[in-house]
Amino acid sequence: MLDQHHTRRFGLPTATALVMGNIIGGGIFLLPASVAPYGTLSLLAFVVLTVGAIALALVFGRLARRDPSTGGPYVHARAAFGDFAGFLSAWSYWTMTWVSNAALAVAAVGYVHVLAPGHASKGMDLAIALLALWLPALANLAGTRWIGAVQLVSTVLKFIPLLFVAVVGLFYFDPANIGPFNAGGGSAVGGMSAAAAILLYSYLGVESASMSAGEMENPERNVGRASVLGTIGAAVVYLLGTVSVFGTVAHKDLVNSTAPFSDAVDAMFGGTWGGTLIALAAVVSIVGALNGWILMSAQAPYAAAKDGLFPAVFANRRRGVPTVGVFVGVILASLLTVVNYTSGSNGVFATLVLITTFSATVPYLLAAGAQLYFLLAGRRDEVRTGRFVWDLVLALAGFGFSFWLVSGAGYAAVYQGVLFLFAGVLVYVVIAARRQSQGADGAVAGEGAAVAGDGTAAAGDGTAAEAGIP
């Protein structure tokens, strides 16, 4: 009875909030300042990237119609390309999630300092970061019912101030604050690509509904809807918020701003209360994102463990949640956070975060490739031409968007990310060898049982003959 009380399938509103909450973490609060050096052409890059992200969201929706199982990209990669590709997808996604969770927890510390200024210490910062990790983890362990509640509440709370700045800021818009179209001074294409390299990672999380398809109501329809609605909702907040900040904060000040949304509120209404408001929204945003990403960190190994491609313990679930995956993911994120604060290895930490942003693209590429495979390897005569062409265009656009993500990561991140990805090959070798060994042992045991059965049958035949039974 307790398990039923805490287990509830996600409806469309909760699934949409999961997508929006995972896409929008704490980065949005610095985004306008990050792209300001490239000028207003960064807004054009936003539009192009949004089209690519929506195409990828539609691809996940199409794939969920084929197989609405928990695990999303992993499930589809394995179905199309086999166990090894499926494992690489799950491995990449899993490592990306728990390292990114550590990064989000560290980011929360800075905003907490704005809310509660004082004498900071490494010990206190570490405690705040660990609290930011474990509070959402406890909500996850309480079951899908509580995950959904936290996600809905946090999404609403963080979008109120963001939408406030995005909408009200348009009434304070001053064209004189807008910088040049191409502030970098080089070619427009080069400037847009440079801006896109920063913006690309703003859409990580578009796959969130697909990852939790098995816990959703009517996933065949709702995965696609939630993915598209969540992506569009995030894009609207991103674009309107950036436009409003561009028009309320002078370009020369925005380029050097460390809190652009706070500066925008202060410019609109005066005073300094904007910083406190935005810091509070940022903390809520990060906690909400951690709530969703901690669930994501458990879903990929859960799906792989069910197929024997991850240790079996990851397949354990209680109250609709893979509890072992939640525990392991948050413990690894906590250890990485402790290393960050105690060893002073900030450079290593930043490198790992960059590697994992590359790792996120591996499941995307494999999922888009899987859709292309299903379309091209299927029986064309059973597919309506218009739908086939549209699905093919979407799959190619999703693949192109994912490929752009890889290129935007930079040479160093791709090089190191590939090494990190290949480290998973050793894990796969051990798991695959153990599966093969267990399969062989099972086959031998089966053959022995068959031989024993034949002997028993022969003995039975002899007994029957001796008894004169035909």
Side-chain angles (χ1 to χ4, degrees):
M1 187 68 179
L2 182 63
D3 189 72
Q4 292 178 351
H5 178 70
H6 287 273
T7 302
R8 177 182 295 174
R9 287 186 175 271
F10 297 145
L12 180 59
T14 302
T16 302
L18 183 66
V19 175
M20 293 178 70
N22 283 2
I23 290 177
I24 299 182
I28 185 175
F29 298 96
L30 288 175
L31 200 59
S34 300
V35 297
Y38 303 102
T40 53
L41 62 76
S42 58
L43 300 177
L44 181 60
F46 244 136
V47 174
V48 174
L49 289 173
T50 299
V51 172
I54 292 174
L56 188 61
L58 288 169
V59 168
F60 281 121
R62 295 288 196 272
L63 288 168
R65 287 182 178 271
R66 181 182 299 273
D67 188 349
S69 301
T70 293
Y74 155 77
V75 172
H76 310 308
R78 181 172 180 265
F81 309 121
D83 286 350
F84 184 58
F87 171 82
L88 288 181
S89 177
W91 171 265
S92 297
Y93 197 87
W94 179 60
T95 53
M96 179 272 293
T97 53
W98 58 262
V99 176
S100 296
N101 287 343
L104 280 171
V106 172
V109 174
Y111 292 110
V112 171
H113 284 319
V114 176
L115 293 175
H119 299 288
S121 67
K122 282 191 175 182
M124 181 59 69
D125 289 352
L126 176 59
I128 293 171
L130 292 177
L131 190 65
L133 282 170
W134 281 95
L135 284 179
L138 292 176
N140 272 261
L141 293 172
T144 53
R145 179 171 179 262
W146 294 103
I147 296 172
V150 171
Q151 201 64 37
L152 278 173
V153 171
S154 63
T155 299
V156 170
L157 288 178
K158 74 180 177 183
F159 273 100
I160 290 175
L162 287 173
L163 285 174
F164 177 80
V165 175
V167 175
V168 176
L170 297 178
F171 293 95
Y172 290 84
F173 191 92
D174 184 355
N177 290 325
I178 296 292
F181 175 73
N182 183 12
S187 69
V189 175
M192 193 173 80
S193 297
I198 295 174
L199 298 171
L200 280 167
Y201 307 110
S202 301
Y203 285 107
L204 294 183
V206 67
E207 75 293 340
S208 299
S210 178
M211 286 297 300
S212 295
E215 283 70 54
M216 288 179 59
E217 297 175 356
N218 192 9
E220 292 87 351
R221 298 184 65 186
N222 284 341
V223 166
R225 290 178 175 182
S227 299
V228 172
L229 290 174
T231 302
I232 291 175
V236 168
V237 173
Y238 278 151
L239 195 56
L240 284 181
T242 303
V243 169
S244 293
V245 173
F246 272 22
T248 52
V249 181
H251 182 262
K252 61 181 179 60
D253 297 326
L254 183 59
V255 170
N256 300 313
S257 175
T258 57
F261 275 84
S262 298
D263 292 342
V265 174
D266 293 342
M268 285 187 278
F269 304 106
T272 59
W273 57 273
T276 302
L277 174 67
I278 298 305
L280 179 60
V283 171
V284 172
S285 179
I286 291 172
V287 171
L290 279 168
N291 181 65
W293 279 112
I294 286 173
L295 177 62
M296 297 301 103
S297 71
Q299 298 288 38
Y302 163 76
K306 288 198 305 178
D307 298 324
L309 297 180
F310 249 68
V313 69
F314 282 92
N316 295 335
R317 284 210 307 182
R318 291 187 63 191
R319 299 168 180 168
V321 177
T323 51
V324 173
V326 169
F327 265 121
V328 173
V330 76
I331 287 172
L332 288 172
S334 298
L335 290 174
L336 188 55
T337 303
V338 170
V339 169
N340 179 66
Y341 280 108
T342 58
S343 68
S345 55
N346 290 327
V348 175
F349 184 79
T351 300
L352 284 174
V353 171
L354 192 59
I355 290 171
T356 52
T357 54
F358 160 76
S359 297
T361 65
V362 175
Y364 290 179
L365 283 169
L366 288 173
Q371 175 69 343
L372 287 170
Y373 170 80
F374 291 139
L375 289 171
L376 298 176
R379 286 178 287 189
R380 293 278 297 276
D381 57 326
E382 296 182 3
V383 181
R384 288 182 299 166
T385 302
R387 173 57 63 86
F388 174 83
V389 172
W390 174 239
D391 283 353
L392 188 63
V393 169
L394 286 177
L396 288 171
F399 190 90
F401 173 74
S402 305
F403 202 80
W404 200 2
L405 280 170
V406 175
S407 65
Y411 292 108
V414 172
Y415 168 73
Q416 293 167 334
V418 168
L419 294 180
F420 195 75
L421 179 66
F422 285 172
V425 175
L426 181 61
V427 177
Y428 177 79
V429 167
V430 174
I431 293 174
R434 184 174 297 174
R435 289 179 68 200
Q436 183 69 25
S437 176
Q438 291 173 347
D441 291 343
V444 171
E447 291 174 2
V451 171
D454 290 342
T456 303
D461 290 342
T463 304
E466 291 171 359
I469 299 175

